[in-house]
Amino acid sequence: MTSETELIPGPRDVVAGSGEVRLTKRSQLYAGDGTEGVGNWLRTVLQQATGLPLHEGRELDDACDDGIGLQLDPALGPEEYRLVSDSNGVFIEGGGPAGVFWGAQTLRQLLGPDAYRRAPLDRQRAWAVPHLTIQDSPRFRWRGLMLDVARHFMPKEGVLRYLDLMAAHKLNVFHFHLTDDQGWRVQIKRYPKLTEIGSWRARTKFGHRASPLWDDKPHGGFYTQDDIREIVAYAAERHITVVPEIDVPGHSQAAIAAYPELGNTDVIDTASLSVWDTWGINPNVLAPTDNTLRFYEGVFEELLELFPSEFIHVGGDECLKDQWKQSPTAQARIAELGLADEDELQSWFIGHFDKWLSARGRRLVGWDEILEGGLADGAVVSSWRGYEGGITAARAGHDVVMCPEQYVYLDWRQAPGEDEPVPIAHVRTLEDVYRFEPVPEQLSEAEARHVLGTQANVWTEVMEDHARVDYQTFPRLAAFAEVAWSALPAPGERDFADFERRMTAHYARLDALGVAYRPPTGPLPWQRRPGVLGRPLDGPPPRA
């Protein structure tokens, strides 16, 4: 096999032929009914990279010999595709437009790393697709990446770039973490102070929260509603669903700094709070009042107009209950509702928005803490504190997205060496991610059907710019993408040596895309952060 056929994620079935299809100035691209959007995308990226005109074919026969044909085949699954390259040309069939799009992504890999460039390096070079047949489909319907833009803001262009990187790896859910203690990143027109005040902080902790270092430059930024519409439309063209996250009732100091009445005013002087400038779990949480509920209903009303996703994430994690325990208002609400304790109060809070979203045809997603005090009806659980939350939720008949920190928290360090920049938590190597199994073995076959899929999470406390995000995310996201897409053997039986071999070709694609990944040999000099305190933990992470 040539380097062009070293595909990631690995397809279900490949049959090699003997020969190749040469793309030339005469080659046409035909997009059948329902595939026009994929055709426009494919023609654009290939014209940029190759300089070939790839004229629009009017019928399938126009793609014969040296062209590309796209069409739907209802016999295939919605994301399933078949790619055939032979003496008749290159043909991609999918059960739906998404399937055709994933086939087009495979075609791009087959053309070689330079197919990922934005201008041709040599207009005289030959572009060829080897003769072969590929049949492929994803294992999971939810193949996600969570990007935290609250801790360190990523400008819109960076987000669009990550959508392209996701598409290149056949990932299809973008979990957009838009709010936290350290920043509010989405414009809400009825509450302008959320971005006027809540979108920037005066300074930023540099390194782990125990670090003595500070960046004294103000940090901030937010997306206008038109920015969000653009991001959602850009994602949709790439068959990626954007799932927004607005964190409640914890991780909310940025919102309280903007609107102090949202906090527990009977416990602390919320008017004195500013957007938080350090990391960790914050005690300043939302007050469980009708005013808070109405405020966030207003937030979600605007969000639902911006995000068509079936799923809306409400956070629900790491909500410290100390202020509620001290708050007469919170204690009165517990008594009024007949609740047992503060855990049930949080469950009531999340349950309110579960019902509110359900009434509008949406589904609530929350981190596994929403299990505490009783699981909200219809809620989907993002299982991050290991497997246990996902197991509990699936056994209770709730859908689950598996994202256990022990495997897929990409802010965790990649190697034990002292050169790793701002080392956080346990070592999670490329191989560790490759051997991650999203479906817990404890689940029965029926329970396992509640596992919608899996997601890798990129928390950006110690990632101050896109180069740091790239370093932590890649190459491990490539391994994760194969776990999410391909039907792999049991973790211990997976052929990591073969994956490493295919990664040799994939690094060249990442180079063409300009990704500042961690090289296999370790960080480059400018990727290190000497003297910046992290929080490395020794040994393997605990299984949970």
Side-chain angles (χ1 to χ4, degrees):
M1 278 190 155
T2 66
S3 62
E4 287 76 12
T5 53
E6 305 293 358
L7 302 173
I8 289 178
R12 186 178 73 217
D13 185 59
V14 180
V15 177
S18 57
E20 61 184 20
V21 174
R22 287 278 186 107
L23 299 182
T24 70
K25 292 180 180 179
R26 297 184 301 106
S27 298
Q28 297 190 28
L29 193 158
Y30 167 78
D33 291 345
T35 72
E36 296 89 350
V38 181
N40 289 337
W41 174 85
L42 183 60
R43 180 178 292 106
T44 298
V45 296
L46 292 188
Q47 283 177 338
Q48 287 178 343
T50 67
L52 299 175
L54 289 175
H55 299 294
E56 182 177 349
R58 297 297 179 184
E59 54 187 41
L60 189 60
D61 286 348
D62 291 341
C64 282
D65 300 330
D66 64 353
I68 300 169
L70 312 176
Q71 58 186 4
L72 300 180
D73 179 353
L76 300 175
E79 292 192 279
E80 187 176 8
Y81 71 89
R82 180 190 305 112
L83 186 156
V84 178
S85 170
D86 59 19
S87 59
N88 294 313
V90 180
F91 294 92
I92 300 171
E93 296 175 303
V100 177
F101 183 71
W102 305 130
Q105 292 290 352
T106 298
L107 171 61
R108 201 179 184 191
Q109 289 197 20
L110 292 171
L111 283 166
D114 289 341
Y116 291 87
R117 299 191 181 275
R118 296 187 186 183
L121 303 185
D122 178 2
R123 291 185 177 272
Q124 305 307 313
R125 70 164 285 179
W127 292 92
V129 182
H131 284 175
L132 44 61
T133 299
I134 296 175
Q135 308 244 17
D136 202 9
S137 60
R139 180 184 179 191
F140 294 109
R141 60 174 279 202
W142 185 301
R143 307 180 302 280
L145 174 70
M146 188 226 71
L147 182 62
D148 166 25
V149 297
R151 272 52 175 272
H152 278 99
F153 178 67
M154 179 178 284
K156 181 191 69 177
E157 287 302 315
V159 174
L160 300 178
R161 174 176 175 264
Y162 258 81
L163 292 170
D164 280 329
L165 292 174
M166 287 178 64
H169 292 82
K170 299 186 173 74
L171 299 174
N172 70 339
V173 177
F174 179 56
H175 176 168
F176 206 7
H177 183 81
L178 288 164
T179 73
D180 218 295
D181 299 301
Q182 296 85 2
W184 184 285
R185 305 292 179 216
V186 56
Q187 178 189 29
I188 303 297
K189 291 184 177 179
R190 74 187 70 183
Y191 305 129
K193 291 180 184 178
L194 286 172
T195 47
E196 290 171 4
I197 295 172
S199 71
W200 70 276
R201 55 183 182 262
R203 63 175 187 170
T204 300
K205 174 68 70 173
F206 192 28
H208 182 254
R209 60 180 175 268
S211 168
L213 303 177
W214 293 89
D215 180 352
D216 288 321
K217 181 175 66 177
H219 177 85
F222 68 93
Y223 310 102
T224 68
Q225 293 199 354
D226 281 346
D227 290 338
I228 293 293
R229 292 185 180 96
E230 180 183 357
I231 288 167
V232 169
Y234 195 86
E237 289 176 349
R238 287 146 184 80
H239 299 275
I240 295 171
T241 298
V242 183
V243 176
E245 179 180 349
I246 301 294
D247 227 328
V248 296
H251 288 288
S252 297
Q253 184 164 321
I256 297 169
Y259 292 92
E261 65 271 22
L262 297 174
N264 294 285
T265 57
D266 54 353
V267 177
I268 64 162
D269 177 14
T270 56
S272 68
L273 295 176
S274 59
V275 178
W276 212 24
D277 56 13
T278 189
W279 320 121
I281 303 177
N282 190 311
N284 296 305
V285 303
L286 298 174
T289 64
D290 289 343
N291 175 66
T292 301
L293 297 181
R294 300 293 88 77
F295 183 96
Y296 275 87
E297 286 171 1
V299 170
F300 284 119
E301 281 177 5
E302 294 195 23
L303 277 182
L304 297 191
E305 294 177 1
L306 298 171
F307 295 95
S309 166
E310 174 187 0
F311 302 95
I312 303 292
H313 207 293
V314 301
D317 61 316
E318 297 179 331
C319 178
L320 296 180
K321 312 297 195 300
D322 296 350
Q323 290 183 359
W324 286 356
K325 291 175 181 177
Q326 300 169 36
S327 165
T329 302
Q331 293 302 311
R333 169 81 12 133
I334 288 172
E336 171 198 338
L337 297 169
L339 304 177
D341 54 22
E342 291 76 19
D343 283 343
E344 288 194 4
L345 183 61
Q346 176 170 344
S347 180
W348 165 81
F349 198 108
I350 297 296
H352 173 86
F353 287 103
D354 179 49
K355 295 182 181 70
W356 190 91
L357 289 167
S358 295
R360 289 154 180 81
R362 308 299 184 95
R363 295 183 68 187
L364 177 145
V365 190
W367 302 109
D368 55 50
E369 284 94 335
I370 68 173
L371 291 161
E372 298 167 4
L375 189 64
D377 291 340
V380 178
V381 171
S382 299
S383 188
W384 74 274
R385 295 179 299 179
Y387 287 99
E388 184 178 353
I391 293 169
T392 300
R395 285 177 172 167
H398 291 267
D399 289 338
V400 178
V401 177
M402 295 303 302
C403 48
E405 59 180 343
Q406 296 90 340
Y407 285 95
V408 293
Y409 267 39
L410 301 185
D411 55 319
W412 287 26
R413 59 191 173 132
Q414 303 184 67
E418 293 182 2
D419 286 339
E420 290 303 310
V422 199
I424 298 297
H426 297 274
V427 172
R428 294 285 82 185
T429 65
L430 184 67
E431 182 172 359
D432 290 328
V433 176
Y434 191 67
R435 297 194 187 281
F436 164 54
E437 172 48 50
V439 179
E441 59 186 11
Q442 298 94 320
L443 295 182
S444 68
E445 185 176 341
E447 292 164 347
R449 284 197 284 271
H450 284 291
V451 178
L452 298 178
T454 183
Q455 177 175 292
N457 295 337
V458 180
W459 300 105
T460 62
E461 287 93 335
V462 298
M463 303 181 209
E464 69 277 9
D465 56 35
H466 88 268
R468 281 288 290 124
V469 175
D470 281 5
Y471 180 91
Q472 292 298 136
T473 304
F474 290 96
R476 291 183 295 182
L477 192 68
F480 172 79
E482 184 147 312
V483 168
W485 176 277
S486 306
L488 297 175
E493 300 169 10
R494 293 177 188 173
D495 190 347
F496 181 67
D498 175 70
F499 177 77
E500 278 192 307
R501 180 182 58 78
R502 287 182 285 125
M503 276 302 299
T504 301
H506 200 65
Y507 285 122
R509 299 177 192 128
L510 297 179
D511 286 333
L513 285 163
V515 177
Y517 58 85
R518 181 191 188 276
T521 52
L524 298 167
W526 54 86
Q527 293 174 321
R528 300 168 189 158
R529 296 291 184 277
V532 182
L533 186 68
R535 185 181 63 97
L537 298 175
D538 295 329
R543 289 292 298 268

